[in-house]
Amino acid sequence: MANITRSPWLLHYDGSSCNGCDIEVLACLTPVYDAERFGIINTGDPMQADIFLITGGVNEQNMPVVKQLYEQMPEPKVVVAVGVCACTGGVFKDCYNIIGGADVAIPVDIYVPGCAARPQAIIDGIVKAVALFQERAQKSEKEVDKVG
Amino acid sequence: MKISIILAICYLVLAPFIGGLLEGIDRKLSARMQRRVGPPVLQPFYDVIKLFNKENQVVYKSQSWLIVTYFVLMVLTGVMFFAGFDLLMCFFVMSTSATFLYFAACVTGSPYSTIGGHRELLQMTAYEPAVLLACVGFYLATGSFDVITIATANTSAIKYLPGFFIAFVFILTIKMRKSPFDTSASHHPHQELVKGLTTEFSGKNLALFQVSEWYENVFLLGVVGLFIINSKPVSIIVTLVVVFLTFFLEVLIDNSNGRMKWQQMLKITWIVTIVTAGVNTVVLMFIN
Ligand code: SF4
């Protein structure tokens, strides 16, 4: 199995958030944190993404969008929820429109807490996601071997 | 004759490695220009290996076949060029391959990739005149369209063709998908078309597209080299230096320019082509 941990491409989707975490996600790509040194690219295209970075909670309106983005991503894929909003609903939890964190719509693998989550924490979350990404790729390969 | 076959085989085997390495250097240079550390130089290879390991989502049945055709024709272009065939024929096959890429993007029906495809056609309209004029220029300078005759001429073609050289380097920015002219593929970080042409490519298809681009870049830089090279062995070193400088110039342009609208692209490219290559043609005809 090839080592595919060196090229995690992100899809960043902003749910029902205050935008704080989104700014932090973008901060990861600036020269100070430079996430590209790990091969991370922020693609806008779900079909080319490996890691789904979601910020903000889920409401009635963005629920189908989140699900569709997740389904459009090719296997193997990993979901990272960034910020307490995406983890549980956070400060907006009791709002009339919020259903909950990202995990009410799609299976979330890594939770990055914080309000807002710091760039260091986000990069750490991505690095954890990358390990899981490799594991999944190996697993699906084994399954293919079993079937074939 | 023998050496041209060896060159063609070398191109077939080595071009993806050289192309990938060049892209890695490109990304590293870009990062340094933006005061970042940047990805490792081998990053493009990691990306392609990963893409080959991902699930291949095909949006429309014929999509994969079209991309493979694009790839094969692109490789053929370079092989013909390095084997010393007719230059006109090389560019003809290159345009055909670009058409297949257009079909691969448009057949999906996705609005983003369709707009990307249309912009690709506009880009072709912008760069084709300069490409065809370059062929004419080579003919006027050396009396032949054959790459092998041009490459083994006694004097470098650029002596007669400085205008054509400028025009060709100018359109190289379009062909290599560099800002300000990367309207069709919209590279990161500007994503107004998501990924334009490649929005609906994933997994193996995207990897194949990437490798074709590497083949293409090596071929295009080969054409840049054709302006410089002559029968003297020392010219090979000069050629390599000029090719690398041209490549560096493209990276610099890419990092210091915002995106242009396609109307501006078309206007500027044609003006540059007509002024530089046009004047050069007239002068050459007077001399001849
Ligand atoms: S976790 Fe805090 S900073 Fe992040 S989106 Fe929610 S409210 Fe904003």
Side-chain angles (χ1 to χ4, degrees):
Chain A
M1 177 70 212
N3 179 5
I4 56 172
T5 55
R6 283 166 175 271
S7 155
W9 291 5
L10 305 181
L11 172 68
H12 171 212
Y13 178 76
D14 169 19
S16 193
S17 81
C18 82
N19 261 179
C21 286
D22 308 301
I23 305 287
E24 299 300 316
V25 168
L26 292 181
C28 296
L29 303 171
T30 58
V32 179
Y33 299 102
D34 188 26
E36 206 193 349
R37 67 204 146 105
F38 302 119
I40 295 169
I41 288 182
N42 186 11
T43 92
D45 187 347
M47 285 186 67
Q48 299 175 4
D50 311 304
I51 295 175
F52 188 8
L53 213 64
I54 179 163
T55 52
V58 169
N59 60 28
E60 287 295 345
Q61 285 189 2
N62 69 25
M63 180 96 133
V65 179
V66 173
K67 280 188 177 154
Q68 191 181 22
L69 286 175
Y70 179 74
E71 276 156 19
Q72 280 182 348
M73 285 171 61
E75 296 285 349
K77 56 191 164 190
V78 181
V79 180
V80 182
V82 173
V84 282
C85 283
C87 294
T88 61
V91 287
F92 303 118
K93 195 176 168 90
D94 294 328
C95 287
Y96 66 94
N97 61 333
I98 296 288
I99 306 172
D103 48 11
V104 296
I106 52 173
V108 174
D109 302 295
I110 314 272
Y111 294 87
V112 179
C115 177
R118 296 189 140 252
Q120 293 94 323
I122 297 175
I123 293 181
D124 192 40
I126 295 171
V127 170
K128 289 218 168 68
V130 163
L132 194 64
F133 176 53
Q134 172 82 16
E135 210 174 280
R136 291 218 168 126
Q138 263 153 355
K139 215 164 149 198
S140 66
E141 197 176 57
K142 264 186 213 147
E143 268 163 25
V144 170
D145 283 348
K146 241 190 258 166
V147 175
Chain B
M1 193 63 212
K2 229 182 201 167
I3 204 155
S4 60
I5 293 173
I6 296 173
L7 262 181
I9 293 172
C10 278
Y11 171 80
L12 192 64
V13 181
L14 294 181
F17 296 99
I18 298 171
L21 212 58
L22 280 177
E23 198 196 318
I25 295 170
D26 176 351
R27 281 174 70 177
K28 195 81 189 173
L29 278 176
S30 303
R32 297 311 299 172
M33 285 177 192
Q34 298 160 8
R35 293 203 168 179
R36 291 188 288 118
V37 179
V41 178
L42 295 180
Q43 187 61 43
F45 298 107
Y46 301 144
D47 289 346
V48 162
I49 290 170
K50 178 207 67 183
L51 287 171
F52 273 115
N53 278 295
K54 291 273 287 184
E55 181 192 7
N56 193 18
Q57 284 182 339
V58 180
V59 180
Y60 193 81
K61 283 198 291 295
S62 59
Q63 193 190 9
S64 304
W65 175 81
L66 285 165
I67 293 174
V68 170
T69 316
Y70 162 63
F71 171 74
V72 171
L73 286 177
M74 200 60 246
V75 175
L76 188 67
T77 310
V79 168
M80 277 166 55
F81 177 78
F82 283 94
F85 279 34
D86 195 323
L87 191 62
L88 266 182
M89 199 62 194
C90 294
F91 281 122
F92 177 68
V93 178
M94 184 183 79
S95 302
T96 317
S97 80
T99 321
F100 276 94
L101 178 64
Y102 163 76
F103 285 135
C106 287
V107 79
T108 56
S110 142
Y112 292 121
S113 73
T114 310
I115 295 177
H118 289 173
R119 288 187 181 179
E120 180 76 5
L121 284 189
L122 281 165
Q123 286 183 190
M124 282 170 80
T125 331
Y127 69 68
E128 275 309 325
V131 165
L132 287 178
L133 274 175
C135 294
V136 175
F138 278 122
Y139 183 79
L140 288 176
T142 59
S144 167
F145 280 121
D146 285 341
V147 175
I148 194 146
T149 321
I150 300 168
T152 52
N154 285 329
T155 45
S156 299
I158 192 164
K159 203 173 144 200
Y160 305 102
L161 311 172
F164 292 93
F165 184 71
I166 295 171
F168 191 80
V169 171
F170 196 85
I171 61 118
L172 210 59
T173 320
I174 304 180
K175 274 309 284 177
M176 289 173 87
R177 304 191 189 289
K178 299 279 181 217
S179 220
F181 300 138
D182 65 331
T183 51
S184 73
S186 92
H187 276 87
H188 65 95
H190 20 69
Q191 296 177 336
E192 97 277 8
L193 268 187
V194 190
K195 285 278 167 179
L197 210 56
T198 58
T199 305
E200 305 295 322
F201 299 172
S202 71
K204 284 187 191 67
N205 283 347
L206 187 63
L208 213 54
F209 168 78
Q210 198 63 60
V211 178
S212 318
E213 293 271 285
W214 297 346
Y215 270 108
E216 182 172 7
N217 286 348
V218 174
F219 160 68
L220 290 169
L221 291 174
V223 179
V224 171
L226 192 62
F227 278 95
I228 314 293
I229 202 157
N230 58 33
S231 56
K232 298 180 198 73
V234 84
S235 72
I236 296 175
I237 299 167
V238 182
T239 307
L240 289 178
V241 172
V242 171
V243 164
F244 196 79
L245 284 180
T246 312
F247 175 74
F248 182 79
L249 181 71
E250 292 301 334
V251 179
L252 191 66
I253 292 172
D254 190 26
N255 279 290
S256 49
N257 280 286
R259 170 92 53 77
M260 273 183 192
K261 287 186 187 147
W262 67 263
Q263 289 95 332
Q264 289 166 310
M265 174 187 73
L266 205 61
K267 247 187 246 160
I268 293 177
T269 330
W270 279 13
I271 289 173
V272 169
T273 307
I274 290 169
V275 171
T276 57
V279 170
N280 205 161
T281 317
V282 175
V283 171
L284 268 184
M285 280 177 166
F286 267 112
I287 292 173
N288 288 349

